[in-house]
Amino acid sequence: PDSTPPPAVVLPPQEELALDEHFARFRQEQTGKSKHNTIRSYELAFRTIFGTIAKSESWRNEWESTLKKYALLRDINANTQNIYLRGVSVFIHLLEDEKILLNGAVEFKRIKKNAQKKVPKEIKIYSKIEIQKLLAVCAKYKNDRHNKLAYMIRLMTAAAVRIHEVFEMKCEDWQFEKGQLRIMHKHGGRYEYVPITEEMSKIYQEMTLLYPSKDDEPMFGYGTDADSNFRKLFKVVATE
């Protein structure tokens, strides 16, 4: 019998995924784990920083220089720059954990040192009189956008919650049987609770009567740009 060993089977090289394909996997993994606005910020960060090499076959040789080019920019807001860098850092850590990038986190940390320093945000505290003025301006406009903004302002004031917490708020978070409102923690993963006052209950009843929504859907809409648009509208109203 012929004792010659059979020829070795040569498997074709595994197809390299493009960077945007890796990000699509990352986005899918984050769905259900992170809040909608957080995922949205990851998408904006990825497109802003890595958009030019997202489909490049040689992205492995380009990602560091592309990241550094963005970190060296000085004609953009420093806080925005840091937010986007923080957004892509989560993605880069995933690539390293999956052995797709070696030393990705270390290289990211080194490159990030080139970025501008964050500027502390000035926190504006509105007095009761200023809040009444904001509501009066909203009342001048007979449209849903200003009307919803007025409900948001009233709710933030009555419940002492932040604007992003209002955007994440759903009807199912209002646990009237327990007399409490459930608020998702800003970092996700756990809830905080606020006692439902008479004023909060009144706002809820008015709001849901005019703008009904499903129990598991955000009360103020689920558009990807809703948060940004209402913040812009608030700034316009505040200057009138």
Side-chain angles (χ1 to χ4, degrees):
D2 187 3
S3 60
T4 306
V9 177
V10 179
L11 297 175
Q14 185 176 5
E15 184 179 353
E16 171 69 280
L17 294 179
L19 192 58
D20 62 347
E21 292 176 301
H22 284 298
F23 184 79
R25 291 190 308 103
F26 165 73
R27 189 191 186 288
Q28 183 63 36
E29 181 182 294
Q30 292 298 313
T31 302
K33 291 173 55 179
S34 299
K35 295 187 290 186
H36 174 77
N37 287 341
T38 301
I39 296 175
R40 172 65 172 166
S41 70
Y42 290 156
E43 293 174 340
L44 289 173
F46 177 79
R47 289 204 303 268
T48 300
I49 298 178
F50 292 131
T52 58
I53 64 169
K55 298 184 181 299
S56 173
E57 295 181 356
S58 56
W59 67 265
R60 289 178 179 275
N61 299 321
E62 299 174 285
W63 79 270
E64 291 180 49
S65 59
T66 302
L67 183 66
K68 185 174 182 179
K69 181 179 179 181
Y70 179 78
L72 288 171
L73 290 177
R74 294 296 179 265
D75 58 347
I76 59 175
N77 181 274
N79 290 343
T80 300
Q81 185 181 50
N82 278 272
I83 288 173
Y84 282 1
L85 287 170
R86 185 168 68 245
V88 296
S89 73
V90 182
F91 174 52
I92 290 173
H93 276 78
L94 171 73
L95 295 182
E96 180 173 309
D97 290 343
E98 295 184 346
K99 312 300 182 186
I100 296 169
L101 274 184
L102 299 179
N103 300 320
V106 173
E107 290 304 311
F108 173 84
K109 187 175 181 180
R110 178 182 62 80
I111 293 171
K112 188 179 182 297
K113 292 179 180 179
N114 295 287
Q116 304 172 85
K117 301 299 181 183
K118 289 199 303 183
V119 179
K121 288 186 178 180
E122 180 182 354
I123 300 177
K124 166 66 176 175
I125 306 296
Y126 288 87
S127 66
K128 290 183 178 180
I129 295 177
E130 289 175 318
I131 291 172
Q132 290 303 316
K133 288 182 178 179
L134 290 173
L135 294 175
V137 172
C138 289
K140 292 194 307 181
Y141 298 89
K142 307 300 181 181
N143 59 56
D144 289 341
R145 292 178 69 239
H146 285 84
N147 203 28
K148 283 187 176 182
L149 179 61
Y151 279 117
M152 290 172 60
I153 294 172
R154 289 174 60 191
L155 194 51
M156 286 189 289
T157 304
V161 293
R162 303 176 180 88
I163 190 168
H164 72 269
E165 293 170 334
V166 172
F167 275 109
E168 297 290 334
M169 199 175 292
K170 304 171 185 177
C171 288
E172 65 185 10
D173 293 325
W174 292 77
Q175 302 174 344
F176 285 98
E177 70 282 0
K178 297 181 180 179
Q180 62 187 22
L181 171 62
R182 185 176 65 180
I183 303 292
M184 173 65 77
H185 190 268
K186 64 179 180 179
H187 296 305
R190 65 185 178 88
Y191 291 100
E192 297 176 343
Y193 297 89
V194 177
I196 298 177
T197 65
E198 184 177 343
E199 176 63 17
M200 290 166 60
S201 179
K202 179 181 177 182
I203 295 169
Y204 174 85
Q205 298 297 335
E206 292 178 9
M207 172 72 187
T208 53
L209 182 63
L210 284 174
Y211 306 106
S213 61
K214 296 181 180 179
D215 285 351
D216 59 348
E217 293 180 352
M219 296 172 59
F220 289 91
Y222 204 75
T224 54
D225 296 320
D227 190 333
S228 175
N229 289 337
F230 271 102
R231 287 177 187 271
K232 290 176 182 177
L233 181 61
F234 182 89
K235 290 181 180 178
V236 171
V237 169
T239 57
E240 289 193 27

